[in-house]
């Protein structure tokens, strides 16, 4: 079965729509690694779409803060103000849906999904030393994670951790990656709604693990339209600007 792997959508409907359009008919099931809301202008619209897709979804830190499940005290002032704005926007049904999202790790069809690290959904996995625990304790050869908004990941083979980077070009839209036996993988599809690896394009992955293949995608979307909606909603200027830089 082919899975569309989405993460860190962050209430960016335009980026989500562009990604779904590009990935059309290439997948059979959707999974979402959390942070459906936070930062972006379309929390209800994005939740409605994820619910309509029947995506297997786990929660992220922004889903906890945006739904009021946790206060946003550990967020920076900019992120906190959007968490509070998101709470005001959410319909009661969508708030309820966010509150009830399961905590990763969750097993899906032979692979695992987590938001941050396997032991702690809020922990960032940026470097090999941070990836090691999740790789050693993985119950499946492939784990997908999010939270860092960086497309790439880590492999563990013969006691050695290696870092993966992908650079999908604009013509093909995706980079092919082959899964090998005897290796453990921690793979990040990147962020749909707020990429932070210097590439402004929306990021996601399509996994066909029965055929040991993962595609890492990048898709352009209309950033200006999203920035205008953020401006109208009164969201903080730094969040509007960073979409232009992918940082
Ligand atoms: Zn995020």
């Amino acid at each position: 079965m082919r899975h569309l792997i989405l993460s860190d959508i962050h209430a960016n409907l335009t980026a989500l729509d562009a990604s779904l359009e590009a990935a059309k008919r290439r997948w059979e099931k959707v999974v979402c690694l959390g942070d459906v809301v936070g930062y972006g202008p379309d929390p209800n619209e994005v939740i409605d779409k994820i619910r309509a897709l029947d995506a297997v979804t786990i929660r992220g830190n922004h889903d906890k803060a945006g739904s009021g499940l946790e206060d946003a005290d550990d967020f920076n002032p900019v992120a906190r103000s959007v968490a509070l704005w998101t709470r005001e926007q959410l319909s009661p049904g969508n708030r309820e849906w966010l509150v009830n999202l399961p905590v990763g790790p969750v097993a899906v069809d032979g692979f695992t999904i987590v938001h941050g690290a396997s032991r702690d959904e809020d922990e960032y996995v940026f470097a090999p030393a941070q990836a090691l625990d999740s790789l050693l304790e993985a119950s499946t050869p492939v784990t997908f994670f999010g939270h860092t908004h960086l497309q790439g990941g880590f492999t563990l083979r013969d006691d050695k951790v290696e870092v993966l980077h992908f650079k999908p070009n604009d013509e093909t839209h995706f980079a092919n990656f082959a899964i090998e036996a005897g290796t453990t993988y921690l793979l990040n599809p990147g962020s749909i709604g707020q990429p932070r690896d210097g590439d402004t394009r929306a990021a996601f992955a399509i996994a066909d693990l029965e055929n040991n293949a993962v595609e890492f995608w990048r898709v352009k979307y209309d950033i200006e339209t999203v920035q205008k909606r953020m401006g109208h909603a009164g969201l903080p200027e730094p969040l509007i600007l960073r979409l232009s830089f992918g940082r």
Side-chain angles (χ1 to χ4, degrees), residues 151 165-176 197 199 201-204 215-219:
Q151 190 174 55
H165 291 294
F166 303 101
K167 272 275 161 234
N169 68 41
D170 266 334
E171 282 100 73
T172 57
H173 294 299
F174 65 86
N176 271 313
D197 46 12
D199 185 336
R201 297 173 297 172
F204 61 91
E215 298 170 353
F216 287 86
W217 282 68
R218 292 313 275 250
V219 172

Side-chain angles (χ1 to χ4, degrees), residues 8-22 40-42 170 173 191-196 199-204 218-230 239-247:
D8 297 280
I9 302 167
H10 283 293
N12 185 337
L13 182 68
T14 307
L16 176 60
D17 280 344
S19 302
L20 291 172
E21 178 62 27
D42 321 301
D170 266 334
H173 294 299
S191 168
I192 292 279
Q194 197 201 74
R196 291 180 190 162
D199 185 336
T200 57
R201 297 173 297 172
F204 61 91
R218 292 313 275 250
V219 172
K220 282 186 179 160
Y221 71 96
D222 186 352
I223 292 173
E224 269 179 43
T225 300
V226 180
Q227 291 174 318
K228 275 186 196 138
R229 281 207 304 283
M230 292 173 80
L239 292 180
I240 298 174
L241 287 175
R242 73 187 299 177
L243 292 180
S244 301
F245 301 98
R247 293 283 180 200

Side-chain angles (χ1 to χ4, degrees), residues 8 10 35 62 115 147 149:
D8 297 280
H10 283 293
D35 280 4
H62 285 264
H115 183 64
H147 199 33
H149 300 206

Side-chain angles (χ1 to χ4, degrees), residues 94-159:
N94 282 342
R95 184 187 169 277
E96 189 73 16
W97 181 82
L98 277 182
V99 165
N100 289 311
L101 285 177
V103 186
V106 164
V108 186
D109 304 328
F111 61 93
T112 305
I113 60 174
V114 296
H115 183 64
S118 293
R119 280 191 196 174
D120 180 354
E121 58 181 342
D122 296 336
E123 191 183 314
Y124 290 93
V125 180
F126 285 117
Q130 297 163 320
L132 194 58
D133 280 347
S134 297
L135 286 163
L136 288 171
E137 291 164 13
S139 47
T140 55
V142 176
T143 298
F144 287 99
F145 74 107
H147 199 33
T148 62
H149 300 206
L150 306 177
Q151 190 174 55
F154 305 89
T155 61
L156 175 65
R157 190 187 177 98
D158 301 331
D159 295 330

